[in-house]
């Protein structure tokens, strides 16, 4: 027997009736969907559809005007962004958010979780304990740099990177936190086609090693190669959900977005 509740319980993230009003603007007007573990779920739709606002609400950057968000079966609607990040919900931004005057390595280290340090025992054990934690973070950062072919940039200032390399750093910073679910807002925006393909390859590899993500993306070829399922939003609502080939056959989706 599978009741609607049982089906929902399977979702890693379940949003129900999400709304966001900015003054008079209904940016998100009642959105419900379920995100499954181990999948990259695409979020597409025309400009102003409410995609980024939906990600903001899931990340906790803004409180919904109405609706609920649950994560691993727990209601997180009232948790602050940092509390959600601690649970493993980590977002990247549509524009890069690196610290220009820190090196690439330093940018990665400040994005590492400090879970052990928050415990009293960390303070009591003192400096060697911190060093061990830092060493693990450095190793993780180096592994990401290798994976993203950025090893040579480790000691450069983040502010000196190219636009495309900043996008890579943004994704690596998200991954430093070892997220349960990564929220990607247009991770390839403004990068050249060859780097976009590289980012795609990296995300596909991460997907194969179990990454769960929600990805907002305009380039539909990329969405088709990376995302299943795909949620189409328009005017603050979910129009349809399906695989990209299914959506391409949908009259409603074609009218609202694909050729609209
Ligand atoms: N802080 C805000 N204050 C007022 N209106 C906002 C705010 N943020 C977003 N909006 C409005 O809400 C609507 C949805 O915006 P949102 O950024 O979520 O769309 P989007 O789907 O991410 O679009 P894009 O593809 O252009 O990034 C738009 O009409 C936008 O102008
Ligand atoms: Mg957006």
């Amino acid at each position: 027997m599978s009741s609607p509740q049982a089906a929902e319980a399977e979702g890693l993230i379940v949003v129900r009736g999400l709304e966001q009003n900015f003054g008079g603007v209904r940016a998100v007007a009642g959105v419900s969907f379920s995100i499954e573990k181990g999948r990259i779920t695409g979020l597409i739709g025309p400009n102003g559809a409410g995609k980024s606002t939906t990600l903001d609400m899931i990340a906790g950057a803004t409180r919904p005007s109405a609706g609920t968000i649950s994560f691993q079966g727990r209601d997180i609607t009232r948790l602050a962004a940092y509390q959600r990040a601690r649970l493993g919900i980590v977002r990247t931004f549509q524009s890069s958010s690196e610290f220009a005057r820190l090196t690439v390595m330093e940018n990665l280290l400040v994005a590492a979780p400090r879970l052990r340090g928050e415990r009293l025992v960390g303070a009591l054990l003192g400096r060697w304990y911190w060093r061990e934690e830092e060493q693990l973070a450095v190793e993780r950062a180096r592994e990401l740099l290798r994976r993203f072919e950025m090893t040579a940039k480790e000691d450069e200032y983040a502010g000196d990177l190219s636009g495309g390399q900043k996008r890579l750093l943004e994704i690596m910073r998200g991954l430093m936190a070892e997220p349960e679910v990564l929220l990607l807002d247009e991770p390839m925006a403004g990068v050249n086609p060859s780097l976009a393909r590289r980012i795609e390859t990296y995300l596909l590899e991460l997907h194969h090693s179990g990454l769960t993500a929600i990805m907002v993306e305009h380039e539909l070829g990329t969405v088709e190669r990376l995302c299943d399922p795909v949620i189409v939003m328009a005017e603050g609502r979910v129009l349809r959900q399906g695989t990209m080939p299914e959506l391409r056959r949908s009259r409603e989706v074609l009218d609202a977005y694909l050729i609209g």
Side-chain angles (χ1 to χ4, degrees), residues 48 152 244:
M244 203 59 218

Side-chain angles (χ1 to χ4, degrees), residues 10-204:
E10 288 166 20
L12 186 64
I13 291 182
V14 179
V15 306
R16 288 223 131 276
L18 271 196
E19 291 182 24
Q20 186 61 271
N21 301 309
F22 293 116
V25 183
R26 277 191 104 191
V28 175
V31 158
S32 303
F33 56 72
S34 174
I35 300 298
E36 272 182 55
K37 196 170 163 64
R39 289 177 180 266
I40 302 182
T41 300
L43 195 52
I44 66 171
N47 293 119
K51 305 179 299 294
S52 294
T53 305
T54 299
L55 280 197
D56 282 345
M57 289 190 283
I58 295 172
T62 53
R63 286 283 167 88
S65 315
T68 59
I69 304 161
S70 75
F71 175 64
Q72 295 173 329
R74 167 183 177 187
D75 190 326
I76 59 162
T77 316
R78 296 179 179 283
L79 294 188
Y82 77 91
Q83 293 170 308
R84 296 184 203 197
R86 213 180 271 166
L87 293 176
I89 303 173
V90 174
R91 75 163 298 176
T92 69
F93 290 89
Q94 200 167 340
S95 54
S96 301
S97 64
E98 78 284 342
F99 298 103
R101 306 192 67 162
L102 295 184
T103 67
V104 167
M105 174 56 81
E106 287 162 348
N107 265 276
L108 293 175
L109 292 181
V110 293
R114 289 280 178 194
L115 297 177
R116 296 172 73 188
E118 280 161 12
R119 295 197 213 124
L120 180 62
V121 68
L124 295 176
L125 288 173
R127 196 172 158 74
W128 65 268
Y129 185 90
W130 282 102
R131 279 213 192 122
E132 183 197 346
E133 181 180 89
E134 197 171 280
Q135 195 50 45
L136 289 174
V138 169
E139 278 165 24
R140 179 162 177 80
R142 294 227 163 100
E143 186 194 311
L144 284 170
L145 287 166
R146 261 198 305 278
R147 191 164 206 168
F148 284 78
E149 298 168 87
M150 288 273 284
T151 300
K153 304 288 177 190
E154 181 178 317
D155 296 321
E156 284 194 18
Y157 286 115
D160 293 339
L161 296 177
S162 72
Q165 290 163 344
K166 286 179 184 168
R167 299 303 304 170
L168 289 177
L169 181 58
E170 179 74 10
I171 299 169
M172 286 189 284
R173 280 167 49 80
L175 291 168
M176 273 307 286
E178 301 188 56
E180 292 290 333
V181 56
L182 188 61
L183 310 178
L184 297 159
D185 198 350
E186 303 195 31
M188 294 130 183
V191 312
N192 67 56
S194 89
L195 184 59
R197 278 313 274 253
R198 262 172 63 197
I199 294 177
E200 207 180 293
T201 307
Y202 301 140
L203 291 176
L204 207 55

Side-chain angles (χ1 to χ4, degrees), residues 198-219:
R198 262 172 63 197
I199 294 177
E200 207 180 293
T201 307
Y202 301 140
L203 291 176
L204 207 55
E205 282 171 15
L206 291 164
H207 170 55
H208 290 145
S209 51
L211 179 76
T212 306
I214 307 177
M215 185 171 95
V216 175
E217 179 55 47
H218 280 286
E219 220 293 291

